[in-house]
Amino acid sequence: MPSGEYDPDAVEPRWQRRWVDEETYAYPDDDPVDPNTVFSIDTPPPTVSGSLHMGHLYGFTLQDFVARFERMNGGETFFPFGYDDNGIASERLTEDELGIRHQEFERREFQAKCREVCAQYEEQFTANVQSLGVSVDWNHTYQTIEPRVQRVSQLSFVDLYEQGREYREKAPAIWCPECETAISQVETEDDEQDSHFHDIAFPVVGGDADGDTDDEFLISTTRPELLPACVAVFVHPDDDENQGLVGEFAEVPLFGHEVQIIADERVDMETGSGIVMCCTFGDQNDIEWYQVHDLDLRVAIDESGHMTEVAEEYEGLHSAEAREAIVSDLDDAGALLDRRGITHTVNVHERCGTSVEFLVTEQWYVEMLDKTDEYLEVGREMEWSPEKMFTRYEHWVEGLQWDWLISRQRSSGIPFPVWYCEDCGEVVIAEKADLPVDPLSDDPPVDACPACGHDAFEPEDDVLDTWATSSLTPLINAGWDWDEEAEAFTMEHPELYRFDLRPQGHDIISFWLFHTLVKCYEHTGEVPFEETMINGHVLDENREKMSKSVGNVVEPEAVLAEFPVDATRYWAAGTAVGDDFPFKEKDLRAGEKLIRKLWNASKLVESLAPEPFPTEPADGLRELDRWLLAELDAKIERLTELFEDRAFSKARDELRSFFWNTFCDDYLEIVKQREDDAATYTLRTAHRRFLKLFAPLLAHVTEELWHDMYADGASDSTHSIHLADWPEPLGLEADHEAGAAATAVVGALRKYKSENQLPLNAELDAVEVYADVRGFEDDITGVMHVADVAVHPDADAPVETVIIGIDLDYATVGPKYGDRVGDIEAAIAREEYEIDGDELRAAGVTLVGDEFSIEEERQYRGDGELLEADDVVVIVRDEA
């Protein structure tokens, strides 16, 4: 029996340990699982780059709501956990932790250091996630760098290569000079930065010799450091003012090389002077111009963001330093006509915030641009929760400009299983049976080049983009592999695929979700998920994004130190899935109150009904008992739909309201006065069902109560409430309106006694009820000690609605009627007015709509006292 006050500090850690130690949520690997009943979740592997934050707490808890509900409502649930530890984030974490740079070490040595650092963080992260009570199957965990996952990732590369979906090309690529690696379009984000527009005079070669052209023209640019990389100047073909320049040549200031002036409709005539220089490369337009017009290649900035020999005297300077030096020299040369401050959008690397460059490098790509329409259709095959999130996916796919660049110039990551012939450059791919391999230390699968017969090979030293691996999580978890004997791909757990749910944040729709669809679709021919559930972000109380630099970060450790985990779970269920929402402490306090209410109500139930599993009495239930269980039936059906729709906020609020108001405040108060088998059966039946309904949300307190009150005798589970069956409606029928009216009458009489300082067992002589509460009379008389109850189901109540006041909207009436307002007020005071619908006539004026409002009151002029309970009229009489 639950005794004393509920102690979450003792209860919650104890159940968290037991759930893990007893493998409560383990997926049955050895026994066959029905693919029609299993529910599989493709959980996001968090990046190993730091500690738990509020987004983790919120996201993991949402996933757990689904896992716990589906586990109770269906068959087996597959809920794994992974760590994404093979990418730039983990590498930078290692560099920061150890104060080193990856370039200082041989690859395998640095990777070993990464494993050590990541292992420490993963151990702490595991403890943190377990402290949230998330019902993960800890037997099914993985790291994106472990050998098994490396094999899956390299198999993916080989399969796509054999399909012709991958290629290696030397071409402009997005480059991060801070991380010194190529990155993909998805890893960039827009950042508003302060900058300057520089108006620079470009001389026209041979200009003004015959008077047909100007001596010079103006170009406005935010990047004067790219002047040494200038290879052309462009004018829009509709720019009549500057058409005379087309076909001429311009001299690049300071650097003196000549470039042609060309017409191209990509020029934005509204920006700057409308004349644009093309530099290889400043942006996407430069790349397109370079390719379309077959321009020269002048690389002025290297992989680390420093100026090359093309920049002449500025060689070796960082690009930011070179910019200031060039601007100063332009000014000295009289070529800088103006410099003005602006704010503009800059493309930066989302990992480090560094402005990206565009460099010509040799990289591996997955071809995507040819199938964007197909990927849109694949995305439509999934159910989106919420549906509005598909728009974000759609916009991303429609806005793609690049194929997926999957190679990285880093040390930590999964190697490409590739070698190149040193003589002819022929690509040699590892055999599937040999994977995983590392070309830096493993031999190629052939002794001689199949193209030219040369016997020396160069290993690929790039590694795969981390998203090239984490995009395979459905296949990793399903045990996708190559069967050498069958010469086909197989799955160890085919019943899991396709996965029922992909939960994730909306910020990685373009990262994780899109790439997973692409990879899995290309490997299996089908969409990998039935449904995707997209959660929003946690904001501060002012709805601002949490940021350490701003100082508005709420740390989960501090929250969990002050509040029970179940209170944070209550908080996490408070917002519609997909919406960003502010962190509010009052929601946690409301969760604490609900936990206490559930605990105390459970103690009361046990004291009133000591037998945990009573049978329904032979003479049946009283009407109020039947009504409560029928109402609970309807609520179970409603809550099941809400959980299935991932509408956790509505489910939480509706369940709380019904439990607190209908069960606790109404029914429990009524049955306190009863000692009969029907009440005992109803109490226990309802209570067990309430615990199950609360279980996905309040995981710990419901487990504690279930264990204390029911576990030993439950037919559907003797171990955990979270393995019990989700409640099904009992199929009872009752008069909904009569039961609601009867409980309203009891509530009104209880309030009447309290306000008149009468004990609850004080006798009331007579009560008249103007509502149909037939069948519930005994409940009213027995609980509230009423000698005589008269029920008038069809008669009109002897009350009348009277007007007790009329208020004018002076902000409207004053300006409109001026000095007549006083006459209107006087007429109303004398009750010399007429109301017709939404019109008020007084003092010869007709007021309409919002110009006035009416205060009304229901009054009773007979014997006794009028009580009102919702729409039910109750009259209490003293017959003495």
Side-chain angles (χ1 to χ4, degrees):
M1 174 178 179
S3 60
E5 296 297 317
Y6 178 62
D7 183 6
D9 292 338
V11 169
E12 291 182 341
R14 172 160 45 83
W15 279 113
Q16 290 158 11
R17 287 192 300 271
R18 283 190 59 174
W19 289 332
V20 174
D21 293 344
E22 297 176 6
E23 299 183 355
T24 303
Y25 309 114
Y27 183 77
D29 280 322
D30 299 330
D31 301 327
V33 180
D34 184 350
N36 295 315
T37 60
V38 66
F39 190 89
S40 51
I41 304 174
D42 181 40
T43 50
T47 302
V48 181
S49 59
S51 57
L52 198 71
H53 57 67
M54 289 304 293
H56 287 128
L57 188 155
Y58 174 56
F60 291 146
T61 303
L62 285 189
Q63 296 166 34
D64 196 47
F65 292 157
V66 178
R68 291 186 183 277
F69 166 71
E70 295 292 347
R71 194 179 284 115
M72 297 176 72
N73 193 44
E76 298 292 345
T77 295
F78 181 78
F79 190 23
F81 197 83
Y83 299 97
D84 191 6
D85 54 6
N86 78 8
I88 291 178
S90 300
E91 186 165 299
R92 291 180 66 86
L93 174 67
T94 301
E95 291 176 325
D96 292 343
E97 283 282 299
L98 303 180
I100 59 177
R101 295 284 285 172
H102 72 97
Q103 297 95 333
E104 300 167 1
F105 301 89
E106 184 271 337
R107 183 157 83 183
R108 286 204 168 186
E109 183 182 1
F110 181 78
Q111 287 183 347
K113 295 181 181 298
C114 283
R115 304 298 172 271
E116 293 174 6
V117 171
C118 288
Q120 297 171 10
Y121 275 89
E122 286 166 11
E123 183 178 356
Q124 182 59 48
F125 211 97
T126 298
N128 288 339
V129 175
Q130 290 175 352
S131 74
L132 300 179
V134 181
S135 59
V136 160
D137 176 4
W138 293 102
N139 294 330
H140 283 90
T141 60
Y142 63 91
Q143 300 163 309
T144 55
I145 199 61
E146 69 180 74
R148 175 178 68 94
V149 177
Q150 288 200 34
R151 174 172 172 79
V152 174
S153 185
Q154 290 185 344
L155 277 172
S156 170
F157 173 83
V158 173
D159 185 40
L160 292 180
Y161 182 80
E162 291 177 348
Q163 291 185 45
R165 300 299 303 165
E166 288 169 329
Y167 62 92
R168 186 172 185 244
E169 181 177 82
K170 187 171 185 178
I174 306 172
W175 187 273
C176 175
E178 169 63 24
C179 299
E180 295 188 37
T181 181
I183 59 175
S184 64
Q185 182 182 349
V186 74
E187 293 173 275
T188 66
E189 62 185 10
D190 291 338
D191 184 34
E192 286 290 319
Q193 296 184 359
D194 292 332
S195 184
H196 292 88
F197 248 142
H198 305 84
D199 291 344
I200 302 172
F202 274 62
V204 178
V205 177
D208 206 30
D210 54 10
D212 292 335
T213 60
D214 296 328
D215 283 330
E216 61 183 25
F217 57 87
L218 178 70
I219 282 182
S220 299
T221 180
T222 58
R223 302 201 62 188
E225 71 274 17
L226 288 178
L227 280 172
C230 180
V231 292
V233 169
F234 285 96
V235 174
H236 198 283
D238 295 337
D239 185 352
D240 296 335
E241 183 179 347
N242 294 307
Q243 281 308 297
L245 294 172
V246 176
E248 300 292 334
F249 284 80
E251 180 184 316
V252 178
L254 296 186
F255 298 93
H257 60 281
E258 298 178 2
V259 298
Q260 189 173 8
I261 305 173
I262 307 169
D264 193 290
E265 57 188 17
R266 294 176 183 82
V267 173
D268 181 2
M269 296 173 59
E270 304 302 319
T271 300
S273 65
I275 307 175
V276 183
M277 66 174 179
C278 171
C279 305
T280 53
F281 297 98
D283 58 19
Q284 179 70 27
N285 269 344
D286 287 346
I287 296 170
E288 292 179 15
W289 280 327
Y290 166 77
Q291 294 169 337
V292 171
H293 296 281
D294 193 23
L295 301 175
D296 292 337
L297 178 65
R298 293 176 64 91
V299 179
I301 299 176
D302 68 13
E303 290 88 346
S304 63
H306 292 79
M307 306 304 290
T308 69
E309 71 280 359
V310 171
E312 299 175 359
E313 63 183 274
Y314 308 99
E315 180 181 0
L317 292 178
H318 190 274
S319 60
E321 297 173 316
R323 177 185 308 158
E324 296 307 311
I326 289 173
V327 167
S328 177
D329 290 345
L330 285 169
D331 193 23
D332 292 343
L336 182 66
L337 304 183
D338 190 20
R339 187 178 195 233
R340 56 194 181 279
I342 62 166
T343 300
H344 68 154
T345 302
V346 177
N347 231 209
V348 300
H349 186 192
E350 56 89 24
R351 286 291 181 196
C352 62
T354 302
S355 298
V356 301
E357 300 289 354
F358 297 87
L359 301 184
V360 176
T361 55
E362 200 153 34
Q363 306 289 344
W364 279 97
Y365 296 85
V366 175
E367 193 169 6
M368 294 193 309
L369 296 181
D370 62 329
K371 297 178 74 169
T372 52
D373 290 344
E374 202 168 334
Y375 297 145
L376 276 176
E377 288 306 312
V378 171
R380 289 191 179 96
E381 291 181 24
M382 291 189 306
E383 179 183 348
W384 291 75
S385 299
E387 189 176 340
K388 64 182 180 181
M389 287 297 170
F390 176 73
T391 302
R392 295 197 182 198
Y393 174 86
E394 186 176 37
H395 287 168
W396 170 254
V397 177
E398 290 177 343
L400 277 176
Q401 297 174 308
W402 302 71
D403 283 333
W404 181 9
L405 192 157
I406 58 170
S407 48
R408 297 292 181 271
Q409 291 67 53
R410 303 293 289 179
S411 294
S412 178
I414 297 175
F416 280 83
V418 175
W419 296 259
Y420 307 101
C421 173
E422 285 189 356
D423 191 46
C424 71
E426 177 74 7
V427 175
V428 175
I429 304 293
E431 296 291 340
K432 297 186 183 74
D434 297 336
L435 302 176
V437 299
D438 186 348
L440 292 185
S441 54
D442 297 328
D443 293 330
V446 295
D447 295 327
C449 173
C452 71
H454 191 69
D455 62 358
F457 297 89
E458 179 185 350
E460 173 63 82
D461 60 358
D462 284 354
V463 296
L464 284 155
D465 167 25
T466 185
W467 296 102
T469 301
S470 56
S471 60
L472 296 166
T473 50
L475 300 179
I476 293 167
N477 285 312
W480 184 71
D481 204 349
W482 175 257
D483 187 325
E484 195 69 25
E485 185 175 333
E487 294 188 348
F489 285 103
T490 60
M491 292 186 187
E492 182 182 1
H493 291 289
E495 77 277 5
L496 299 177
Y497 198 91
R498 51 186 178 179
F499 276 67
D500 291 278
L501 181 70
R502 155 61 71 87
Q504 64 167 72
H506 61 59
D507 57 323
I508 53 172
I509 289 175
S510 54
F511 284 82
W512 194 36
L513 182 59
F514 173 63
H515 287 147
T516 305
L517 260 65
V518 170
K519 278 285 196 91
C520 293
Y521 176 69
E522 296 298 344
H523 291 309
T524 69
E526 63 177 323
V527 64
F529 321 111
E530 298 286 349
E531 172 194 355
T532 181
M533 181 179 71
I534 309 294
N535 63 267
H537 285 168
V538 183
L539 311 175
D540 71 6
E541 290 194 347
N542 298 317
R543 302 193 68 86
E544 297 292 333
K545 183 178 179 180
M546 290 188 187
S547 167
K548 290 184 179 180
S549 62
V550 176
N552 63 344
V553 171
V554 177
E555 297 291 352
E557 291 82 358
V559 174
L560 294 172
E562 184 175 357
F563 295 97
V565 175
D566 279 348
T568 68
R569 295 173 67 87
Y570 178 89
W571 158 79
T575 299
V577 172
D579 290 350
D580 294 342
F581 66 103
F583 175 82
K584 292 184 179 178
E585 196 171 285
K586 69 174 185 179
D587 294 334
L588 292 157
R589 301 203 181 280
E592 279 188 305
K593 291 179 181 178
L594 178 60
I595 294 168
R596 285 196 297 270
K597 187 74 171 180
L598 181 59
W599 182 263
N600 292 331
S602 299
K603 289 197 295 183
L604 179 58
V605 166
E606 191 155 40
S607 67
L608 296 173
E611 167 58 44
F613 295 96
T615 57
E616 184 177 350
D619 55 352
L621 303 176
R622 286 167 59 162
E623 283 301 314
L624 189 66
D625 305 327
R626 182 176 295 275
W627 172 80
L628 176 77
L629 294 178
E631 291 291 289
L632 187 51
D633 269 4
K635 188 59 64 177
I636 287 170
E637 291 181 344
R638 167 69 173 163
L639 292 172
T640 302
E641 291 177 0
L642 291 175
F643 271 102
E644 289 174 341
D645 292 341
R646 318 305 176 207
F648 306 122
S649 177
K650 291 181 180 179
R652 184 199 76 169
D653 293 345
E654 291 188 22
L655 175 57
R656 178 194 178 280
S657 177
F658 185 76
F659 170 75
W660 196 301
N661 300 325
T662 303
F663 181 69
C664 295
D665 291 354
D666 294 335
Y667 185 78
L668 262 181
E669 290 298 324
I670 290 173
V671 297
K672 277 183 185 178
Q673 315 299 321
R674 289 170 52 185
E675 295 182 5
D676 57 80
D677 291 343
T680 298
Y681 170 81
T682 304
L683 274 173
R684 282 295 191 159
T685 300
H687 181 256
R688 286 196 303 273
R689 296 159 81 75
F690 274 120
L691 287 185
K692 290 182 178 182
L693 294 171
F694 274 119
L697 303 176
L698 308 179
H700 301 82
V701 66
T702 53
E703 185 77 292
E704 180 77 0
L705 290 168
W706 181 263
H707 181 78
D708 285 350
M709 299 174 70
Y710 300 113
D712 292 341
S715 60
D716 52 3
S717 173
T718 59
H719 178 55
S720 170
I721 190 173
H722 302 296
L723 301 180
D725 293 333
W726 187 252
E728 294 281 345
L730 298 171
L732 297 176
E733 294 183 0
D735 188 329
H736 165 79
E737 292 185 359
T743 55
V745 170
V746 171
L749 293 175
R750 188 189 307 121
K751 181 180 179 183
Y752 168 79
K753 288 185 176 182
S754 175
E755 289 177 346
N756 288 278
Q757 298 183 334
L758 297 173
L760 287 178
N761 61 358
E763 190 82 12
L764 297 178
D765 292 337
V767 171
E768 292 191 58
V769 178
Y770 287 85
D772 188 355
V773 292
R774 287 174 291 186
F776 294 86
E777 294 94 338
D778 290 347
D779 292 299
I780 297 172
T781 58
V783 174
M784 297 313 301
H785 303 279
V786 179
D788 179 45
V789 170
V791 177
H792 307 285
D794 301 316
D796 292 333
V799 297
E800 61 177 337
T801 301
V802 299
I803 296 174
I804 60 173
I806 296 177
D807 297 321
L808 303 181
D809 181 6
Y810 290 100
T812 305
V813 174
K816 186 173 181 180
Y817 297 104
D819 55 8
R820 301 192 64 184
V821 173
D823 297 335
I824 297 171
E825 292 175 324
I828 292 173
R830 296 191 303 269
E831 298 187 356
E832 296 175 356
Y833 59 83
E834 179 183 351
I835 295 177
D836 183 9
D838 62 351
E839 294 184 348
L840 169 68
R841 303 186 186 97
V845 172
T846 299
L847 305 182
V848 296
D850 295 336
E851 293 177 347
F852 70 98
S853 58
I854 299 173
E855 296 180 57
E856 295 180 330
E857 182 179 86
R858 287 161 61 121
Q859 293 183 353
Y860 169 66
R861 303 188 188 280
D863 295 333
E865 185 173 341
L866 170 68
L867 310 180
E868 290 194 73
D870 298 331
D871 293 331
V872 180
V873 171
V874 180
I875 295 172
V876 179
R877 288 199 179 94
D878 184 357
E879 301 292 348

